[in-house]
Structure formats: structure tokens, C-alpha cells
Amino acid sequence: MRVLITGCNGQVGHCLTEQLNIKENTVVLALSREDLDITDAAAVNKIVLKFNPNVIINAAAHTAVDNAEKEVELSFKINRDGPKYLAESAQKINAAMLHISTDYVFSGDKDGEYHPEDLTEPQSIYGHSKLAGELAVVAACDKHIILRTAWVFGEHGNNFVKTMLRLGKDRDALSIVGDQFGGPTYAGDIAGALIEIATQIETNKPVEYGIYHFSGFPHVSWFEFAETIFNSAKEQDIFDKTPALSSISTADYPTPAKRPANSKLATNKMVESFGIEASDWQAALSRVKHYA
């Protein structure tokens, strides 16, 4: 299996590269932003044709949600145009295109879990640009898997777990939003899910191409997530004393970009189609020392 990874220095991209590099009978070309500007159609086409992958996994994205409200053109170049060029190149060589998307394509107003076929209604520039990327991939490449995920954390890059551990060292008290709900998702599990999908495609198992959801379970609020992080940190002797936590509303913590109140993604389609269970984020936090 020949796999091209874009965005290899990001949270998921780093895990993808690590896991694929130790997978037997696999040739990996892992590219960072410096190695390949995915918004350059000619550069994308040249690299894809030269490497000739079976699978392209796009882990590159403009994920600065609040900055995106001002950086509209940049957001759409990276989140829409880049995936489009990758998908077009994949189509030329009959490769599969695996693309990571987000819960931000939804309004966040629904009761209960979001399913892949639910109506999309992004509320931010980031969400709009990611949805545009999904549509571009679907239109350009027949063999596409779009994997929507949420609340990503891991050992690499910036994320909520790292932020909590950093703030917890210096502060006696923290206020955390308690009225937004979702499934924290370990980056290593996202990488593992994508690799399993790629492997099933490569071994010619019948694959239903389309849109899937993969995130963590059980669903919690950001406040509950923070509680679990600090409890794990205390159990593993990272802190002698953890900060006092208080729950606040979204209205108490205004941000330039609107966050979905409900980011709960239904993952049953992943289980049924690929045998891949939801991310066990609590197990991932049992290694919380690695995030400090």
C-alpha cells in the first residue's frame, strides 16, 4: 500500500505518519505544509503523479476557528481548494481520497446525535470552508471517504488537554464552558481508523464510499472533560493539587466564531461499515503524562 499524507505535522497527521511507518508492506510519503502547498494545484498534481499512491489521506487544514472569521480567503483556499486539488489528482490515478472534516458543518442546535446524512448548517467561516471542502471532494473523486470528527486531542500540537494541563500548573481556579457537548477524540484513534479504512480499501473489501462520523464516547461537556483531565492528572501525580473548576455558559465566554452547542456525532455507521468503534478518550487520558 502506498499512502500519501498531507498535513503530517498536525495532531492527526503526526499519528498517521508514526503508525503507517511501522505498518508492514506500506510505503509512506508524509508531507508537511513546507513540503507541499495543497492550494497549489500544479504542485499537488506533480507530487501525486510522481508518487502514485493507492490512498491519499488529507490531514491538512486551517483549524484556527476564530482567526478564520477574518482570514476568510485563506480558510477557503486551505479547507476547500486544497482538498479539491488532492481529490482531482486522486481521481486521475484511481486512488482513494480520505479527508478529515468536522462537527462545525452542523448548526449544533439539534437534540441528540448528528448522523452523517443530517442537514448541514455551518455557523462559522471555519464550518463553511470545511463543508465546501467536503462538497469539493465528493464532486472530484469517486473513491472518497470523508471522516467528520470533533474535539481532537493528542500528544502533538495544541489542544484542550494540553491547555488545561498548562493552565492548571499556574492557576488555583478555572472557569470552563458547561453548555457545549461533544465527544473528545484521541488523534491516535482517528489515525488508526483512517488506516483501517485504507487497509480495507487496499485489500479489496467491499467499501461504501461516502461520509462517516468518528469521535469519542461517552459524550460530555467541556466542563466534564476538564474534570476528567484533572482527575487523571492527579491520579498520575502530575499535580499535587488541581485547580477548582466552575461551570460557565457560552454567553459568559464570547468568541469571534460561534461554537456548536451540540457536537455529538453518531458513530454507528463506522461500526457497521468498517467494524471501527468510537474513540475511547478516557483510555487515552490514562496516558495523560504524555500531554504535559
Side-chain angles (χ1 to χ4, degrees):
M1 182 165 65
R2 298 175 66 83
V3 184
L4 188 152
I5 303 166
T6 55
C8 72
N9 287 341
Q11 291 194 83
V12 177
H14 198 287
C15 294
L16 277 166
T17 305
E18 281 186 336
Q19 292 180 30
L20 280 168
N21 277 336
I22 60 173
K23 184 174 172 62
E24 291 185 352
N25 303 315
T26 304
V27 180
V28 181
L29 179 60
L31 302 173
S32 68
R33 186 183 309 166
E34 291 71 33
D35 300 321
L36 175 63
D37 176 3
I38 64 169
T39 70
D40 183 337
V44 168
N45 195 54
K46 182 179 178 181
I47 280 186
V48 170
L49 293 181
K50 183 178 180 181
F51 181 63
N52 195 32
N54 311 104
V55 178
I56 296 172
I57 305 180
N58 180 37
H62 185 261
T63 57
V65 175
D66 288 325
N67 290 348
E69 295 297 308
K70 293 181 180 178
E71 299 170 345
V72 179
E73 185 178 352
L74 178 65
S75 296
F76 276 88
K77 281 182 70 175
I78 297 172
N79 293 340
R80 177 195 61 200
D81 300 345
K84 175 176 181 275
Y85 301 146
L86 288 163
E88 287 173 343
S89 296
Q91 182 74 5
K92 287 180 184 177
I93 60 171
N94 196 35
M97 171 77 176
L98 277 52
H99 174 64
I100 302 170
S101 194
T102 176
D103 57 298
Y104 277 74
V105 300
F106 297 115
S107 67
D109 296 331
K110 179 184 177 180
D111 291 329
E113 297 178 334
Y114 277 100
H115 294 266
E117 64 275 11
D118 282 344
L119 177 71
T120 52
E121 193 179 354
Q123 302 292 302
S124 64
I125 295 299
Y126 171 67
H128 277 288
S129 67
K130 290 295 289 182
L131 178 58
E134 290 186 9
L135 296 172
V137 169
V138 170
C141 183
D142 296 332
K143 293 165 65 174
H144 64 266
I145 296 286
I146 291 164
L147 197 71
R148 293 179 182 144
T149 191
W151 294 24
V152 181
F153 72 94
E155 296 90 345
H156 314 285
N158 298 316
N159 55 68
F160 185 75
V161 174
K162 286 189 170 186
T163 298
M164 289 298 100
L165 294 176
R166 186 183 73 250
L167 294 176
K169 290 177 182 176
D170 303 322
R171 302 194 188 176
D172 295 325
L174 291 171
S175 298
I176 311 295
V177 171
D179 59 357
Q180 294 173 20
F181 297 87
T185 314
Y186 176 51
D189 290 341
I190 300 171
L194 288 164
I195 292 167
E196 175 60 25
I197 292 169
T199 301
Q200 291 191 26
I201 291 170
E202 184 57 18
T203 53
N204 295 317
K205 287 189 178 180
V207 170
E208 181 186 345
Y209 291 102
I211 299 173
Y212 289 83
H213 289 173
F214 179 77
S215 65
F217 194 82
H219 297 134
V220 288
S221 67
W222 287 112
F223 175 78
E224 291 166 327
F225 188 22
E227 278 189 321
T228 308
I229 293 165
F230 285 117
N231 286 339
S232 296
K234 192 170 183 181
E235 287 171 7
Q236 295 171 56
D237 299 322
I238 293 176
F239 295 121
D240 294 327
K241 180 186 175 187
T242 56
L245 301 181
S246 58
S247 178
I248 60 172
S249 70
T250 299
D252 294 326
Y253 189 72
T255 55
K258 184 180 178 183
R259 267 66 174 170
N262 175 14
S263 294
K264 299 174 185 176
L265 300 179
T267 59
N268 53 302
K269 186 180 175 184
M270 278 285 280
V271 179
E272 293 159 6
S273 297
F274 297 106
I276 299 171
E277 298 287 344
S279 174
D280 186 347
W281 62 270
Q282 291 171 317
L285 281 183
S286 69
R287 305 182 298 276
V288 75
K289 284 185 177 180
H290 297 291
Y291 310 100

